[in-house]
Amino acid sequence: MVITELYIKNFGKFSERHFYFHDGVQVVSGENEFGKTTLHAFIRAMLFGLERGRGRAAAKDEYSRYEPWENPGHYAGVMRFVCGGRHFRLERSFSRLVKRASLVCEDDGEELSVEHGDLDMLLGGMTPELFDSTVSVGQMKAEPGQELFRALENYAANYFETGGGEYDLSAALRTLKDKRKALSKELEKEEAELEAEREKLRQECRYLERDMERLRGEYEERQSELEREDAEAGQEDSSAGRTEQTAGKRAGSLMLGGAAGIGVGALGFLWSRVISRLTGGLALSASAAPVEIIACLAGAAGLVLLIAGLLMRRRGAAGRSGKREADPASGRTAADPQERARRLGWEMERIRSEWKDKELRRDNLREQYGEMEESAGTVRLKERIRAVALAEEELEKAARATGESMERRAGHRASEIFAGITGGRSLSLAPDGTKEIAVWDGSRRIPARALSRGTLEQIYFAVRMAAAEILLEEPMPVILDDVFAFYDDKRLESVLKWLSGQKKQVIIFTCHRREEEIINAFTRERV
């Protein structure tokens, strides 16, 4: 790819400006604030678009930085370039109201679609991040970012698996991770539903066990009450028996005394009659009268005692009969204890039957809980999660293995470039285990940050150019924006000489004249 023209309608400080470029190395020089960085940003915006940030970040993003104060509706530009021997015209509008992009092949007038990836195809799938880590070097940004190492791993693994670099390993890994997360969420939902069903069974079992405990308490209470009733009934029967026995004895004694009194009275009366006859007169003799009186009294007393004994015996019989009908002391019938005992027995039987029903229901629930296993859907989900995790692990393992190989390849090429721009200095370059660039001087590994700034800049440059050769399918213009500030004249001459020998477009933005002078000297030598 070779950029031939930039037409800036409105972008940053430029308005209605044309800039023309050619193949090979060229220098755009100007003092500070000339707009070199603006031109660099415009090229990037034309290739990849320019999106406005959100929230507070929008006030300091690239979009706001280069948005024109006047005529913001004409925030736009045009780029002409050659790719694959064909000439293209790319036009973009960055305006917030009218954001559009068009791509036309000027050789035949064919209109291509930026939206559907035609421009990405011409760029060889290069991303903005990869552009910034390889061929595009801004001020004080010579060090490549971690995106470069991820791209090397990605390219290596893709090449190993498919024979080419057209697939995005990072995207595949992200897809697998997203899929695993989605499956895990679905599994959590399934397990939550299963746990909810189990908790429902556990809760029902707890309710049944509480009811069974309550019934057990009621049964024990009724049993105690029945035992208490039996004890009280036994005590009442014993007391009544003793009372009736005492009353019977008293009634018998009275009746016996009464009979004896009546007998004594009768005998006394007969004796008085005998005495009267013996005295020979009808009139009651003086000696018979007292006997007859005593006999009458004894008979009367005996009759009274007999009647009292009979009445007492009858009262005792009436009392026993009355106890069956009414207990004057308690107001209960004599049949109450038996009735209460029967009722307590019925209640205890009802409680026992209800307890058995609940026990059976609880045992059935426990059996159902024990048989409640994971559904077939849950088992399949777990299998799919394991499969995705295994695929993710294997893909990462392959990426690491082949990525290390690719890093060695890039390190070897970077070492060659480093030797070319340093006059043959032999340093072996390779990223270390933490993805930080280090150099090998033949006896030890030295972190790049421990070297001088000038050497460090040369190393970063070599790594970027090596990665660009490996990762970019289409040769892209190398854009260097004031990157040689730490280069002395010798280092600068070496790197410019190397760039001049490459068959690619190089655009150097600088505020010094020495780059242009060196390039002109190379040109005169060739002529």
Side-chain angles (χ1 to χ4, degrees):
M1 178 180 183
V2 175
I3 299 172
T4 58
E5 180 185 357
L6 298 177
Y7 166 49
I8 301 179
K9 291 183 180 180
N10 252 337
F11 192 93
K13 66 185 300 178
F14 293 115
S15 178
E16 299 297 332
R17 290 287 303 273
H18 287 267
F19 296 89
Y20 299 94
F21 302 92
H22 56 80
D23 199 359
V25 181
Q26 56 222 284
V27 178
V28 178
S29 61
E31 297 180 356
N32 291 332
E33 304 302 326
F34 168 75
K36 301 182 295 297
T37 301
T38 301
L39 274 174
H40 189 179
F42 178 76
I43 293 173
R44 188 183 190 280
M46 290 302 299
L47 291 175
F48 304 106
L50 189 61
E51 297 295 331
R52 188 169 185 268
R54 296 181 179 180
R56 295 181 179 179
K60 297 181 180 180
D61 63 3
E62 292 289 298
Y63 186 96
S64 300
R65 179 180 179 183
Y66 295 108
E67 184 178 20
W69 292 0
E70 297 180 0
N71 298 323
H74 293 83
Y75 192 10
V78 177
M79 172 190 286
R80 282 187 168 87
F81 62 92
V82 179
C83 186
R86 303 176 70 191
H87 296 76
F88 296 90
R89 182 179 187 273
L90 173 63
E91 183 175 357
R92 285 187 186 270
S93 172
F94 308 108
S95 173
R96 305 180 189 183
L97 301 178
V98 184
K99 187 181 293 293
R100 66 176 183 273
S102 66
L103 179 63
V104 177
C105 178
E106 295 185 312
D107 294 328
D108 54 14
E110 180 185 3
E111 186 172 351
L112 306 176
S113 174
V114 175
E115 181 181 355
H116 292 90
D118 290 339
L119 179 59
D120 294 336
M121 182 180 62
L122 294 176
L123 297 177
M126 181 176 62
T127 63
E129 294 79 14
L130 192 55
F131 178 75
D132 294 336
S133 291
T134 54
V135 295
S136 174
V137 188
Q139 295 179 0
M140 306 301 292
K141 296 180 181 178
E143 181 179 1
Q146 292 299 312
E147 177 66 24
L148 177 61
F149 300 107
R150 286 193 294 269
L152 285 171
E153 290 179 351
N154 195 32
Y155 179 89
N158 288 339
Y159 193 87
F160 178 79
E161 295 291 336
T162 66
E166 63 272 18
Y167 297 105
D168 189 349
L169 174 64
S170 298
L173 284 172
R174 286 195 299 271
T175 300
L176 287 174
K177 291 180 185 294
D178 292 342
K179 184 64 176 177
R180 180 163 52 86
K181 288 180 181 178
L183 290 173
S184 297
K185 288 183 179 180
E186 191 173 349
L187 177 62
E188 288 177 2
K189 182 180 178 182
E190 291 278 347
E191 290 179 338
E193 291 177 356
L194 177 63
E195 181 59 26
E197 290 294 328
R198 287 176 171 172
E199 178 59 27
K200 183 178 179 181
L201 292 178
R202 288 195 295 266
Q203 187 70 20
E204 192 169 352
C205 282
R206 286 194 289 267
Y207 289 152
L208 288 171
E209 288 173 350
R210 280 200 292 268
D211 289 344
M212 291 168 64
E213 189 65 26
R214 175 182 56 80
L215 290 172
R216 183 181 290 107
E218 291 182 4
Y219 185 86
E220 292 175 354
E221 183 180 348
R222 298 295 185 276
Q223 190 174 34
S224 298
E225 188 175 349
L226 180 60
E227 292 174 355
R228 189 168 54 253
E229 288 286 339
D230 290 343
E232 291 177 355
Q235 291 176 358
E236 289 179 1
D237 291 343
S238 176
S239 176
R242 289 193 298 272
T243 302
E244 289 177 3
Q245 186 177 7
T246 302
K249 288 180 179 180
R250 289 179 178 177
S253 298
L254 290 174
M255 292 175 65
L256 182 59
I262 292 173
V264 170
L267 290 176
F269 184 76
L270 291 176
W271 178 252
S272 66
R273 293 292 96 189
V274 171
I275 294 176
S276 177
R277 287 181 181 176
L278 291 176
T279 56
L282 297 173
L284 186 62
S285 64
S287 58
V291 175
E292 187 173 354
I293 293 171
I294 291 171
C296 288
L297 291 174
L303 182 61
V304 171
L305 290 174
L306 180 61
I307 292 172
L310 290 172
L311 289 175
M312 183 175 290
R313 176 171 290 182
R314 182 177 294 177
R315 189 181 297 114
R320 288 193 300 273
S321 176
K323 281 184 179 292
R324 295 189 182 95
E325 297 177 0
D327 186 350
S330 63
R332 298 184 302 176
T333 64
D336 275 351
Q338 297 178 1
E339 183 65 26
R340 285 178 59 80
R342 284 194 298 270
R343 187 169 67 250
L344 288 171
W346 293 338
E347 288 184 9
M348 291 171 66
E349 184 61 29
R350 176 191 62 78
I351 292 171
R352 188 162 44 245
S353 176
E354 187 175 349
W355 190 90
K356 286 290 186 183
D357 290 341
K358 291 184 180 296
E359 183 185 35
L360 180 61
R361 172 62 178 161
R362 184 202 61 186
D363 293 343
N364 290 336
L365 289 175
R366 286 180 174 177
E367 184 177 356
Q368 183 180 351
Y369 182 89
E371 294 175 353
M372 185 176 288
E373 299 178 350
E374 295 176 340
S375 66
T378 301
V379 174
R380 285 195 299 272
L381 280 174
K382 287 187 174 181
E383 291 176 351
R384 291 177 65 188
I385 290 173
R386 284 193 293 269
V388 171
L390 180 61
E392 185 180 337
E393 180 182 352
E394 292 299 321
L395 197 57
E396 288 179 341
K397 189 185 300 182
R400 285 192 298 271
T402 54
E404 290 173 359
S405 174
M406 183 57 67
E407 287 175 6
R408 287 193 295 271
R409 175 184 166 190
H412 177 71
R413 178 55 183 151
S415 297
E416 292 178 345
I417 296 174
F418 182 80
I421 64 177
T422 58
R425 290 179 62 186
S426 178
L427 288 176
S428 179
L429 305 179
D432 63 14
T434 60
K435 305 305 182 189
E436 292 183 358
I437 297 172
V439 299
W440 177 257
D441 64 359
S443 61
R444 57 176 180 163
R445 182 181 294 272
I446 306 173
R449 61 179 178 273
L451 302 171
S452 67
R453 183 66 191 186
T455 303
L456 190 59
E457 293 281 335
Q458 289 176 309
I459 292 173
Y460 289 155
F461 177 83
V463 171
R464 281 175 173 270
M465 295 302 102
E469 290 181 10
I470 294 172
L471 298 175
L472 304 182
E473 299 176 13
E474 176 71 21
M476 295 296 296
V478 177
I479 304 171
L480 307 174
D481 185 5
D482 273 331
V483 298
F484 301 124
F486 294 97
Y487 283 55
D488 55 31
D489 291 344
K490 186 176 180 180
R491 283 190 173 116
L492 178 59
E493 184 177 351
S494 295
V495 74
L496 292 179
K497 184 177 181 179
W498 184 86
L499 285 171
S500 298
Q502 307 304 306
K503 296 181 179 179
K504 62 177 60 178
Q505 184 181 42
V506 180
I507 302 174
I508 301 174
F509 296 109
T510 179
C511 60
H512 302 287
R513 303 292 298 180
R514 58 176 184 161
E515 289 89 345
E516 187 174 2
E517 291 172 356
I518 294 173
I519 294 297
N520 290 336
F522 290 156
T523 304
R524 286 194 297 270
E525 289 177 3
R526 292 193 187 97
V527 174

